[in-house]
Amino acid sequence: MTQNTPIPSDLLRWVADHLTGVETVTDVSWPRGTSRVWRVSAGADEAFVKLSPSAKDYECEVAGYAYAARALTPREVPRLLAAHPGLQAIMTSSLPGRVVRGLPLEKDEERRVHELAGRLLRRWHDHSDPASEQDRAAIRASMRDKADEAAACLESTAGHLNDEQRALVRSVHQELAELTEHLPAVYQHGDYSTRNWLWDREHGHGLIDFAMAGHGIAIEEFVWLCGAVWAVRPDLKAAYFAGYGRELSDSEERALILLTTRLGVSYLHSGLTKQEPVLEERGHLILTRMTHAYQ
């Protein structure tokens, strides 16, 4: 996970103003270019420091932490300790637990983790204010953009897809915008995947990373899980929605398939364009799963 990138000197000076006696700084960024996160220790105290890649990400994350403090308990989400708009930096408290993605769990415990994840997200969603007209307009525009993106990606990927896959991608363009028009809108976490879940057997389930928080349709929270997990582990989907407290409507199920298909064809297009086999493989896998498991 770590990139071993040293913390910038101006950022370290800012950290020292808020955390006395800094002793160790460890790069804990995800292996991607926009992730810049450090764990900072000062005696028994520990905090995480993050540089946002853009002003928009910074603003979303600060707002997300404020929302998290209202919606969930201090044991479930970290607290924002300091923020610097000029540096686009935030400093947050730590939480007990380990990141769930890649964590070896027995099946019963894994189902429990997914049930609690669904339960936590439902409380997060239930705390939402109603979407404003401006929020709804932004959601409509986002769904139209995703539908158009699927159509554009199909032009470059059609020769790499079978008939069922091509038909499903066309359905994204034809159905998505209208299908999602009246689906439930919430204040989303925005990246509710296992890399942002923490699990501790004593303290339970935790949640991190609010850079993508904002209003959207509820089912967008499930897209990564749909493509990466639920297609091969329906028991985890059942546990998740047992925790979430309601099943998806037929329209939501269909929209979820289409949104996940859009993600798959986007991965495939990017992989072919950038000549990145990992993205190609990921795209093929998601599209195969959507046609076989959900059709």
Side-chain angles (χ1 to χ4, degrees), residues 27 29 46 49 65 83 107-108 114 155 165 189 237 243 278 283:
D27 183 9
S29 308
E46 181 179 83
V49 181
Y65 270 100
K107 284 193 173 182
D108 285 347
H114 280 253
E155 293 182 11
Q165 291 168 341
H189 172 270
K237 180 180 181 182
V278 172

Side-chain angles (χ1 to χ4, degrees), residues 120-291:
L120 185 151
L121 186 65
R122 180 62 183 272
R123 286 191 289 114
W124 174 285
H125 284 174
D126 284 350
H127 198 79
S128 302
D129 291 328
S132 67
E133 285 302 314
Q134 184 177 2
D135 294 329
R136 276 292 183 184
I139 292 169
R140 282 193 292 272
S142 174
M143 292 301 108
R144 287 195 299 268
D145 287 345
K146 286 179 169 60
D148 291 342
E149 180 193 2
C153 289
L154 184 58
E155 293 182 11
S156 64
T157 62
H160 300 266
L161 305 178
N162 62 33
D163 290 344
E164 287 184 330
Q165 291 168 341
R166 284 191 291 270
L168 191 55
V169 175
R170 289 191 192 98
S171 295
V172 178
H173 182 246
Q174 294 164 357
E175 299 177 33
L176 185 63
E178 183 176 354
L179 187 61
T180 56
E181 175 69 26
H182 301 293
L183 294 185
V186 296
Y187 189 81
Q188 300 174 339
H189 172 270
D191 190 10
Y192 202 70
S193 62
T194 53
R195 72 179 180 188
N196 290 324
W197 302 356
L198 299 181
W199 174 243
D200 182 273
R201 287 172 180 164
E202 179 181 352
H203 294 92
H205 204 289
L207 180 63
I208 58 174
D209 195 346
F210 309 111
M212 297 178 70
H215 279 90
I217 55 175
I219 57 164
E220 284 188 283
E221 303 273 43
F222 313 137
V223 169
W224 183 87
L225 289 164
C226 179
V229 180
W230 293 341
V232 292
R233 290 290 305 276
D235 61 319
L236 295 181
K237 180 180 181 182
Y240 187 98
F241 282 105
Y244 194 70
R246 74 171 179 87
E247 296 297 322
L248 298 181
S249 68
D250 290 345
S251 293
E252 286 177 306
E253 285 280 9
R254 178 62 176 172
L256 179 57
I257 293 169
L258 297 181
L259 283 167
T260 310
T261 298
R262 193 284 312 175
L263 178 64
V265 78
S266 178
Y267 279 145
L268 180 57
H269 169 76
S270 295
L272 292 169
T273 302
K274 300 175 183 178
Q275 296 185 328
E276 294 187 14
V278 172
L279 289 178
E280 284 187 51
E281 182 180 355
R282 190 180 301 167
H284 278 301
L285 182 62
I286 290 175
L287 292 167
T288 298
R289 286 174 172 176
M290 291 304 98
T291 54

Side-chain angles (χ1 to χ4, degrees), residues 23-186:
E23 296 172 350
T24 61
V25 180
T26 306
D27 183 9
V28 292
S29 308
W30 283 103
R32 63 177 188 270
T34 59
S35 180
R36 294 182 293 173
V37 186
W38 294 267
R39 182 174 60 242
V40 181
S41 299
D45 296 326
E46 181 179 83
F48 286 85
V49 181
K50 179 177 182 178
L51 282 177
S52 297
S54 69
K56 179 180 179 181
D57 284 79
Y58 171 81
E59 292 167 2
C60 284
E61 190 135 33
V62 170
Y65 270 100
Y67 182 89
R70 298 191 301 270
L72 302 176
T73 71
R75 284 192 171 187
E76 293 171 321
V77 290
R79 292 302 187 241
L80 184 63
L81 302 176
H84 192 302
L87 295 173
Q88 293 176 183
I90 62 170
M91 185 165 69
T92 65
S93 62
S94 62
L95 284 181
R98 296 170 62 190
V99 172
V100 170
R101 183 176 295 186
L103 188 63
L105 298 171
E106 296 293 333
K107 284 193 173 182
D108 285 347
E109 186 175 15
E110 191 174 16
R111 283 191 284 266
R112 178 62 173 160
V113 169
H114 280 253
E115 179 183 352
L116 291 175
R119 187 178 301 174
L120 185 151
L121 186 65
R122 180 62 183 272
R123 286 191 289 114
W124 174 285
H125 284 174
D126 284 350
H127 198 79
S128 302
D129 291 328
S132 67
E133 285 302 314
Q134 184 177 2
D135 294 329
R136 276 292 183 184
I139 292 169
R140 282 193 292 272
S142 174
M143 292 301 108
R144 287 195 299 268
D145 287 345
K146 286 179 169 60
D148 291 342
E149 180 193 2
C153 289
L154 184 58
E155 293 182 11
S156 64
T157 62
H160 300 266
L161 305 178
N162 62 33
D163 290 344
E164 287 184 330
Q165 291 168 341
R166 284 191 291 270
L168 191 55
V169 175
R170 289 191 192 98
S171 295
V172 178
H173 182 246
Q174 294 164 357
E175 299 177 33
L176 185 63
E178 183 176 354
L179 187 61
T180 56
E181 175 69 26
H182 301 293
L183 294 185
V186 296

